[in-house]
């Protein structure tokens, strides 16, 4: 006969589970790098984040071919270029082959009269033409005359040189055997741009597979060749795959470990199944809550989530092992306070601007609440009235002795605290890592490859950028022209070596129209040309190509972005002129002088020139800025979280007890930090979160020890101790597993909590546990 | 008998003379690229003025430029053009620095630009007497004698052949008098060099 209230409880639980499952089924899971990017950055960081996520730079895949000899590499490079150019996922693939660069050369040459800054009023007057041709003749008599002389018949006014001038400061990769090669010549290099900026990680993975397939085809007769790739897409896909496989591996292993542990303790499948119920319900609730709150669940949240097993399973362990004791009220009171402490700790994470952390906060709170509610209301209903727990008296007695022994060395945590604290103070400058890369899944070898390939491409390091936004493409290009004017002065004043501007590739319509207006009709042009050539060593009949080209340019009219399809310059333009939802963002890379650039001074130069809304950013500085802010935020959050937990203790237990139970946790936190410092592991925000978790989980231990009255009977006390040890083992196992992960964020958190909770238990036993006094006395 | 002896004396003298001549001829034949390079490599530094004429098919008359050259062994070569526009080219080791009339500077690393490298080595390696440096890019043929020699450099790399068909360097002893670039398209440039100092 089941009681009515019991039926309602079971029904409510089943309904809840069904609803949660329904939500989880519709959940969108992501596993890219987005969890590391801030939600509410400042303007400069916003630009950076956008670019990291989907900018033109993010769309580039740099490819290297290694091994074999130079000819084999060059052949493979050409085949790979030809093959990939055919595939729809790529907008342009370049390998330095002049044949592949033809579209670019054709664009500049064909449109030279619209692109050349020299084309102004009077440029095609008699005097204007004479001056231009004289200048070209002088250039022809100089050291590069051999190359320049080819321009004379079709471009006697030297517009091509004017255009080239604008690109002077940017070098390219080294060329050998007509393909790009690395600086040492040991690697052929190519550049592929993904067609769409909105590619998700799955599509990026497909594109990378395309590259691999094309390479396999290109190298089928030369198996000694090796393909290497780098770029945001490569990193995203790699991170996703690593996180995915890691989360799966850890979840499986963690579950198996905890199951084995529980089976050893319970020796009952029924209890095991029951023990898993709160965990499973909590995990489902957590995922559903994050899904509802954020619209998606990050794979990393799931990774952290496996750690919840560590805490949620504790409740059923406490319940089962400590069952049968008279003081139920005391038991639930302790559990309630423990859960509240954990929730207080996790709640502060929810407000983090680091999406990964706020998801973790929501996940943990929902998960813990549901787990504890299921333990409190569902498990007692489903539990057999007579629990057949194996007699753990032997183990319990030994444990009790060990704990009793630990009491005698209660000075140890105090000494450790002092030593650790001193050590931390002495090394406080190197405690924290300020590099965003320290969180990245990318291995050191991959970062090195990335740096090497980027180095091969010369000026692709976009460290200093002049940036602004404008409502339309035309407005953006016009402003870029104004900015170029100022930057040109700064180049002349030797403040920078050079810069790139989208307007050099595609001038604004206004400028183009001005240039078109400067071109006279054919009859006038011929008349001016003939008059200009009087007394010059050139005859008009050698220059017919010139008249035709100028006339054609006038007729053709304004050029648009469409003319840049399938060109490398189009890729460059896209990277500098970025279309956003409501406006256009312009990013103009600066080529600094050898001694770098002081952004503040440079910003002042721009401001003085009257350029409003144009800012200079140092990408390296901004990136560490993003991360520095994270670390500060996480420190604040951890402190607030810990303070909330302590406040809770004070509120429910009074000052004295609150101090007594907080002290072992403080010792554990400081000692763990000192261990990391001693091992030369720089701490990141994930370590901080780990410390917060340690406080949350560890508070359960201290609370049980503290609640333990001296007049309790030995058996129930020993049961409590066994339950704490088993719970701690479960935690150390699951977090310890995380500690072995190759994903840094998982491993950082895992090692912190794994080591920390163990210390917390030991310290709690030393400092909080009271000496047993026989009840009869 | 007397006659015979006379004859034989004459014969012997003739044989002797012809041997001498043969020896002299073979000595001349033995003066080769190695010897020229050896003597050129003795020179440690030198300065000169130059007049360069470019004969270009699209132009009715040659383009002329003048300036100064300076060489310091083993690998520094400066070419300063003074007219019609100031321009300088300094080659030092692997680095090529170009400075134009408007003050713009350009730095090129030769190992990054093999074609530029081939071009500048034709002059620098000749001045330095660096035969191996020349042979990296050219097939060398020497004509003439130490007092009046000419080396013809034919590019061995197809990329270079597309631009230059041959480079001819004429000289007297250790002085280079003229460098002619024959371009693949039929144009040519002639640089006449007048030495002003030498060490």
């Amino acid at each position: 006969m089941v009681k009515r209230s019991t039926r309602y409880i079971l029904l409510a639980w089943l309904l809840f589970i069904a609803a949660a499952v329904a939500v989880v089924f519709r959940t969108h899971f992501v596993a890219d790098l987005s969890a590391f990017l801030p939600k509410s950055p400042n303007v400069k960081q916003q630009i950076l984040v956008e670019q990291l996520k989907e900018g033109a730079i993010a769309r580039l895949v740099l490819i290297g071919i290694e091994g074999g000899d130079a000819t084999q590499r060059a052949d493979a490079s050409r085949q790979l270029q030809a093959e990939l150019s055919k595939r729809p996922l790529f907008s342009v693939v370049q390998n330095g082959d002049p044949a592949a660069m033809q579209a670019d050369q054709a664009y500049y040459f064909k449109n030279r009269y619209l692109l050349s800054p020299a084309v102004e009023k009077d440029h095609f007057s008699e005097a204007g033409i004479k001056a231009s041709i004289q200048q070209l003749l002088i250039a022809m008599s100089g050291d590069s005359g051999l190359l320049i002389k080819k321009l004379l018949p079709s471009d006697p006014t030297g517009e091509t040189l004017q255009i080239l001038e604008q690109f002077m400061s940017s070098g390219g990769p080294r060329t050998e055997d007509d393909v790009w090669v690395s600086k040492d010549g040991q690697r052929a290099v190519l550049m592929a741009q993904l067609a769409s900026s909105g590619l998700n990680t799955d599509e990026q993975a497909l594109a990378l597979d395309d590259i691999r397939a094309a390479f396999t085809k290109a190298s089928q007769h030369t198996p000694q060749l090796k393909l290497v790739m780098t770029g945001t897409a490569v990193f995203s896909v790699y991170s996703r795959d690593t996180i995915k496989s890691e989360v799966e591996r850890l979840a499986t292993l963690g579950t198996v470990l905890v199951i084995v542990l529980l089976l050893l303790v319970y020796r009952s499948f029924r209890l095991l199944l029951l023990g898993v119920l709160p965990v499973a319900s909590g995990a489902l609730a957590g995922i559903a809550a994050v899904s509802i709150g954020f619209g998606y669940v990050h794979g990393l949240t799931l990774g952290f989530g496996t750690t919840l097993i560590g805490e949620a399973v504790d409740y059923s362990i406490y319940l089962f092992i400590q069952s049968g004791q008279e003081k139920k009220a005391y038991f639930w009171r302790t559990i309630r306070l423990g859960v509240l402490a954990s929730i207080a700790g996790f709640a502060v994470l929810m407000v983090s601007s680091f999406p990964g952390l706020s998801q973790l906060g929501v996940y943990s709170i929902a998960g813990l609440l549901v787990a504890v509610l299921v333990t409190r209301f569902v498990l007692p209903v489903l539990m057999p009235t007579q629990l057949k727990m194996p007699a753990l008296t032997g183990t319990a007695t030994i444990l009790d002795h060990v704990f009793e022994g630990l009491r005698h060395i209660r000075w140890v945590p105090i000494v450790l605290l002092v030593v650790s604290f001193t050590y931390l103070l002495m090394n406080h400058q190197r405690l924290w890592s300020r590099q965003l890369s320290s969180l990245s899944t990318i291995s050191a070898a991959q970062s090195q490859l990335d740096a090497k390939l980027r180095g091969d491409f010369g000026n692709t390091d976009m460290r200093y950028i002049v940036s602004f936004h404008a409502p339309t493409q035309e407005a953006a290009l016009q402003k870029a022209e104004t900015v170029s004017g100022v930057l040109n002065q700064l180049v002349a004043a030797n403040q920078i070596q050079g810069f790139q501007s989208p307007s050099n590739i595609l001038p604004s319509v206004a400028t183009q129209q001005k240039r078109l207006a400067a071109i006279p009709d054919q009859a006038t042009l011929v008349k001016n040309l003939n008059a200009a050539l009087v007394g010059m060593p050139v005859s008009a009949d050698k220059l017919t190509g010139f008249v035709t080209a100028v006339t054609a340019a006038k007729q053709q009219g304004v050029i648009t972005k469409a003319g840049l399809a399938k060109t490398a310059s189009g890729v460059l333009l896209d990277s500098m002129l970025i279309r956003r939802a409501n406006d256009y963002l312009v990013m103009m890379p600066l080529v600094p002088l050898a001694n770098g650039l002081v952004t503040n001074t440079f910003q002042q130069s721009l401001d003085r020139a009257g350029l409003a809304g144009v800012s200079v950013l140092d990408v390296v500085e901004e990136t560490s800025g993003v991360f520095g802010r994270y670390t500060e935020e996480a420190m604040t959050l951890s402190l607030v979280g810990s303070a909330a937990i302590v406040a809770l203790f004070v509120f429910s237990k009074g000052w004295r007890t609150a101090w007594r139970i907080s002290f072992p946790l403080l010792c554990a936190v400081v000692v763990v930090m000192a261990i990391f410092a001693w091992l030369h592991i720089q701490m990141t925000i994930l370590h901080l979160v780990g410390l917060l978790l340690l406080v949350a989980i560890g508070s359960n231990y201290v609370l049980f020890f503290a609640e333990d009255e001296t007049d309790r009977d030995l058996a129930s006390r020993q049961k409590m101790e066994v339950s704490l040890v088993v719970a701690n083992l479960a935690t150390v196992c699951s977090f310890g597993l995380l500690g072995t992960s190759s994903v840094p964020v998982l491993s950082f958190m895992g090692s912190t909590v794994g080591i920390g909770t163990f210390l917390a238990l030991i310290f709690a036993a030393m400092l909080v546990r009271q000496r047993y006094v026989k009840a009869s006395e | 008998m007397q006659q015979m002896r006379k004859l034989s004396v004459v014969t012997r003298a003739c044989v002797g003379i012809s041997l001498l001549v043969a020896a002299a001829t073979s000595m001349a034949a033995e003066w080769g690229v190695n010897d020229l390079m050896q003597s050129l490599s003795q020179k440690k530094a030198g300065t000169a003025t130059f007049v360069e004429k470019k004969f270009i098919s699209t132009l009715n008359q040659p383009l002329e430029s003048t300036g100064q050259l300076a060489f310091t062994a083993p690998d520094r070569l400066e070419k300063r053009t003074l007219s019609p526009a100031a321009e300088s080219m300094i080659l030092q080791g692997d680095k090529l620095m170009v400075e134009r009339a408007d003050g713009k500077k350009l730095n090129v690393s030769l190992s990054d630009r093999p074609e530029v490298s081939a071009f500048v080595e034709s002059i620098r390696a000749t001045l330095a007497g660096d035969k191996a440096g020349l042979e990296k890019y050219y097939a060398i043929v020497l004509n003439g004698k130490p007092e009046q020699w000419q080396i013809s450099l034919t590019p061995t790399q197809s990329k270079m052949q597309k631009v230059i068909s041959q480079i001819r360097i004429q000289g007297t002893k250790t002085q280079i008098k003229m460098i002619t670039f024959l371009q693949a398209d039929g144009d040519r440039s002639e640089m006449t060099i007048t030495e002003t100092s030498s060490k």
Side-chain angles (χ1 to χ4, degrees):
Chain A
M1 172 80 195
V2 184
K3 271 197 285 179
R4 197 177 230 192
S5 61
T6 314
R7 266 208 310 244
Y8 283 136
I9 287 172
L10 283 180
L11 189 67
W13 174 60
L14 287 174
L15 277 177
F16 176 80
I17 293 298
V21 168
V23 173
V24 170
F25 258 102
R26 290 155 165 233
T27 295
H28 176 54
F29 290 92
V30 295
D32 55 12
L33 300 165
S34 63
F36 303 111
L37 303 173
K39 210 162 50 182
S40 52
N42 66 30
V43 181
K44 286 180 174 182
Q45 290 167 354
Q46 178 74 43
I47 293 170
L48 198 72
V49 169
E50 273 184 21
Q51 287 317 298
L52 285 177
K53 270 178 161 169
E54 50 196 347
I57 311 161
R59 285 162 61 196
L60 272 188
V61 180
L62 304 182
I63 304 168
I65 299 173
E66 298 175 341
D69 61 36
T71 318
Q72 288 169 336
R73 288 192 295 266
D75 286 343
S77 166
R78 274 184 281 269
Q79 279 186 51
L80 190 59
Q81 194 276 334
E83 182 64 32
L84 287 178
S85 299
K86 284 187 252 162
R87 309 214 176 189
L89 284 176
F90 302 93
S91 53
V92 65
V93 183
Q94 293 281 346
N95 65 342
D97 191 341
M101 292 294 280
Q102 263 170 8
D104 281 87
Q105 286 169 359
Y107 172 81
Y108 289 109
F109 193 67
K110 183 177 170 226
N111 300 309
R112 59 190 180 277
Y113 295 105
L114 287 169
L115 294 170
S116 165
V119 178
E120 285 177 348
K121 201 167 161 274
D122 295 336
H123 187 63
F124 295 108
S125 67
E126 181 194 326
I129 296 178
K130 197 176 183 88
S132 302
I133 296 183
Q134 269 167 347
Q135 223 179 342
L136 189 72
L137 288 177
I138 288 175
M140 278 168 66
S141 65
D143 292 322
S144 36
L146 247 181
L147 300 168
I148 294 174
K149 68 169 193 187
K150 289 180 192 149
L151 293 175
L152 184 71
S154 51
D155 185 16
T157 50
E159 311 311 335
T160 316
L161 292 181
Q162 296 282 349
I163 297 167
L164 268 179
E165 191 89 333
Q166 300 177 321
F167 294 97
M168 273 270 283
S169 57
S170 51
R174 177 179 165 186
T175 309
E176 236 171 59
D177 202 359
D178 275 350
V179 298
W180 285 332
V181 296
S182 61
K183 291 213 168 76
D184 60 2
Q186 294 304 302
R187 177 168 54 224
V189 290
L190 301 88
M191 173 205 85
Q193 191 195 37
L194 302 179
S196 153
S197 62
L199 284 187
N200 61 33
T201 315
D202 288 333
E203 286 169 294
Q204 288 176 333
L206 284 180
L208 298 184
D209 286 344
D210 262 10
I211 297 177
R212 285 190 199 98
F215 176 75
T216 311
K217 209 170 148 188
S219 64
Q220 54 187 340
H221 301 300
T222 42
Q224 62 272 44
L225 294 182
K226 201 181 117 214
L227 175 77
V228 290
M229 290 190 282
T230 190
T232 309
V234 178
F235 286 174
S236 296
V237 172
Y238 177 82
S239 294
R240 200 247 337 236
D241 292 351
T242 317
I243 291 173
K244 217 168 147 183
S245 73
E246 278 295 282
V247 167
E248 278 164 17
R249 182 179 75 92
L250 295 170
T252 316
L253 270 178
T255 313
V256 169
L257 260 178
V258 172
I259 286 177
V260 169
L261 181 72
L262 293 187
L263 266 183
L264 279 177
V265 179
Y266 297 159
R267 309 208 187 139
S268 149
F269 278 101
R270 183 170 176 191
L271 281 185
L272 174 70
L273 280 178
L274 287 177
V276 171
L277 276 188
V279 183
S281 310
L284 273 175
I287 298 172
V290 173
S291 174
I292 290 168
F294 291 82
Y296 70 96
V297 177
H298 198 281
L300 279 180
T301 313
L302 291 185
F304 297 141
T306 58
T307 63
L308 259 188
I309 298 172
E311 192 170 358
V313 87
D314 290 358
Y315 301 136
S316 52
I317 295 174
Y318 297 145
L319 177 69
F320 293 155
I321 300 184
Q322 298 188 40
S323 71
Q325 51 183 284
E326 309 83 52
K327 297 190 176 177
K328 279 277 174 177
Y330 134 81
F331 176 78
W332 290 116
R333 200 171 66 228
T334 309
I335 291 279
R336 194 175 62 215
L337 192 54
V339 172
L340 281 177
S342 298
I343 288 178
F346 286 123
V348 290
L349 288 188
M350 292 205 299
V351 302
S352 168
S353 61
F354 195 73
L357 288 193
S358 47
Q359 283 206 356
L360 179 62
V362 172
Y363 182 92
S364 310
I365 291 179
L368 281 183
L369 264 180
V370 169
V372 80
L373 286 176
V374 170
T375 313
R376 173 73 183 89
F377 297 105
V378 180
L379 283 196
V381 179
L382 299 176
M383 248 164 82
T385 30
Q386 280 301 309
L387 257 189
K388 283 190 196 119
M389 283 293 294
L392 293 165
T393 32
T395 323
T397 316
I398 296 170
L399 268 180
D400 198 50
H401 279 300
V402 172
F403 279 140
E404 199 60 40
L406 284 176
R407 268 179 55 81
H408 296 301
I409 48 165
R410 52 191 314 161
W411 51 269
V412 169
I414 296 159
V415 171
L416 279 179
L417 177 72
V418 173
V419 171
S420 299
F421 193 73
T422 318
Y423 186 73
L424 286 176
L425 268 187
M426 279 161 56
N427 295 285
H428 69 102
Q429 267 145 345
R430 57 166 184 85
L431 291 184
W432 304 101
S433 162
R434 304 196 76 85
Q435 295 297 314
L436 192 58
S437 57
S438 58
L439 284 189
S440 159
T441 322
I442 307 310
S443 67
Q446 263 180 317
S447 308
Q448 272 173 11
L449 174 72
D450 185 62
K452 262 195 269 171
L453 279 176
R454 281 184 197 284
D456 293 342
F457 278 88
N459 258 330
T460 41
D461 93 69
M462 306 245 295
R463 172 159 184 185
Y464 300 104
I465 289 169
V466 169
S467 155
F468 58 87
H469 53 92
T472 61
Q473 177 176 312
E474 176 63 12
L477 288 172
Q478 284 185 18
K479 193 156 183 179
E481 281 158 359
T482 316
V483 174
S484 298
V486 174
L487 291 179
N488 271 325
Q489 291 165 16
L490 294 173
V491 172
N494 247 331
Q495 283 206 32
I496 45 169
Q497 195 189 321
F499 66 94
Q500 291 183 346
S501 169
S503 59
N504 292 346
I505 301 172
L506 184 68
S508 69
V509 174
T511 301
Q512 290 194 48
Q513 269 160 354
K514 227 182 275 168
R515 287 175 187 162
L516 283 171
I519 302 179
D521 61 73
Q522 191 170 352
T524 318
L525 181 70
V526 172
K527 186 173 72 82
N528 292 350
L529 177 65
N530 284 330
L533 289 179
V534 173
M536 298 255 258
V538 197
S539 18
D541 60 333
K542 296 267 168 69
L543 305 181
T544 46
F546 167 62
V547 178
T548 324
V550 176
T551 314
K554 177 109 182 164
Q555 278 163 0
Q556 177 214 287
V558 173
I559 41 172
T560 64
K561 231 177 129 176
L564 284 156
K566 295 267 169 199
T567 62
S569 302
V571 177
L572 188 60
L573 179 69
D574 280 347
S575 73
M576 294 191 283
L577 178 69
I578 298 137
R579 191 186 181 149
R580 296 196 296 193
N582 300 315
D583 62 355
Y584 280 81
L585 173 71
V586 176
M587 307 223 301
M588 298 168 58
L590 300 176
V591 185
L593 299 170
N595 51 1
L597 190 79
V598 182
T599 42
N600 284 345
T601 326
F602 200 78
Q603 181 75 55
Q604 282 164 14
S605 304
L606 291 184
D607 294 345
R608 266 200 302 278
L611 294 177
V614 177
S615 50
V616 186
L617 56 135
D618 176 343
V619 173
V620 173
E621 202 178 278
E622 295 301 331
T623 320
S624 29
V626 171
F627 193 66
R629 210 175 70 119
Y630 276 159
T631 312
E632 275 163 37
E633 187 199 87
M635 276 192 201
T636 317
L637 290 182
S638 306
L639 283 178
V640 171
S642 307
I645 293 173
V646 173
L648 192 70
F649 291 161
V650 173
F651 183 71
S652 55
K653 298 271 169 193
W655 281 104
R656 282 188 55 134
T657 318
W659 165 251
R660 202 160 67 92
I661 58 186
S662 304
F663 187 68
L665 297 178
L666 174 72
C667 292
V669 167
V670 174
V671 173
V672 170
M673 284 176 72
I675 289 176
F676 282 124
W678 185 58
L679 292 175
H680 285 266
I681 297 171
Q682 286 198 318
M683 308 229 302
T684 65
I685 49 175
L686 270 306
H687 291 99
L688 269 175
V689 175
L691 292 177
L692 184 60
L693 269 172
L694 142 65
V695 173
I697 298 174
S699 61
N700 284 326
Y701 310 150
V702 270
L703 284 174
F704 270 115
F705 278 127
E707 287 280 354
D708 191 22
E709 305 297 332
T710 43
D711 58 350
R712 293 254 311 280
D713 70 289
L714 185 61
S716 74
R717 177 192 188 129
Q718 287 185 348
K719 277 185 178 173
M720 184 271 290
E721 284 169 355
V722 171
S723 75
L724 288 190
V725 171
V726 174
N728 182 245
L729 269 178
T731 309
V732 171
C733 282
S734 54
F735 279 92
L737 257 184
L738 275 194
T740 67
S741 171
S742 60
V743 179
V745 285
L746 297 179
S747 118
F748 293 164
M749 181 123 113
S751 49
T752 314
V753 180
I755 301 170
T757 49
F758 178 71
L759 287 178
L761 178 68
I762 302 289
F763 291 169
M766 289 173 176
L767 298 165
V768 182
R769 184 178 172 278
Q770 313 213 359
R771 205 162 69 83
Y772 178 67
V773 186
K774 260 189 192 153
S776 54
E777 281 176 3
Chain B
M1 245 348 241
Q2 196 76 26
Q3 278 259 300
M4 281 285 280
R5 277 172 68 187
K6 239 182 181 170
L7 188 76
S8 78
V9 169
V10 173
T11 316
R12 269 149 80 182
C14 282
V15 170
I17 288 164
S18 61
L19 273 176
L20 264 174
V21 171
T25 333
S26 74
M27 258 178 76
E30 269 165 25
W31 183 80
V33 179
N34 287 332
D35 303 278
L36 175 62
M37 290 294 152
Q38 168 67 26
S39 55
L40 284 171
S41 69
Q42 299 302 314
K43 231 165 146 169
K44 292 297 161 233
T47 55
T49 58
F50 73 86
V51 178
E52 188 176 10
K53 281 186 179 155
K54 290 195 172 84
F55 297 85
I56 297 170
S57 63
T58 45
L59 297 181
N60 307 334
Q61 61 193 65
L63 288 174
E64 196 177 286
S65 60
T66 61
Q68 297 165 339
L69 291 172
F71 174 73
T72 314
D75 60 6
R76 185 182 167 91
L77 176 63
E78 268 184 64
K79 182 189 180 198
R80 292 190 185 278
T81 307
L82 301 172
S83 74
E87 189 177 45
S88 83
M89 202 167 81
I90 300 170
L91 183 63
Q92 171 107 56
D94 180 53
K95 293 268 170 287
L96 176 66
M97 289 156 278
V98 179
E99 187 171 352
R100 298 184 328 194
D102 59 5
K104 283 226 166 118
K105 285 175 194 162
L106 185 70
N107 289 304
V108 180
S109 175
L110 287 187
S111 55
D112 287 355
R113 304 268 172 257
E115 67 284 359
V116 177
S117 190
F119 202 74
V120 300
E121 283 306 349
S122 66
I123 304 174
R124 181 169 66 175
T126 305
L127 284 169
D130 176 9
K131 188 178 170 224
L134 281 177
E135 279 173 338
K136 211 168 148 193
Y137 304 106
Y138 304 98
I140 313 171
V141 174
L142 173 68
N143 285 306
K145 47 187 189 298
E147 291 72 32
Q148 184 85 49
W149 50 263
Q150 171 178 313
I151 48 177
S152 305
L153 304 174
T154 310
T156 48
Q157 294 171 344
S158 63
K159 203 167 179 177
M160 188 73 177
Q161 284 166 358
K162 282 178 198 152
V163 187
I164 298 279
S165 53
Q166 202 172 62
I167 301 170
R168 287 179 193 152
I169 303 174
Q170 288 160 276
T172 305
K173 290 177 186 156
T174 60
Q175 278 184 37
I176 291 175
K177 292 291 188 189
M178 171 125 92
I179 304 176
T180 310
F181 287 94
L182 298 174
Q183 294 172 26
D185 59 9
D187 290 350
R188 71 176 198 281
S189 78
E190 294 177 358
M191 186 194 262
T192 314
I193 298 166
T194 313
E195 194 171 271
T196 48
S197 80
S198 150
K199 262 188 251 171

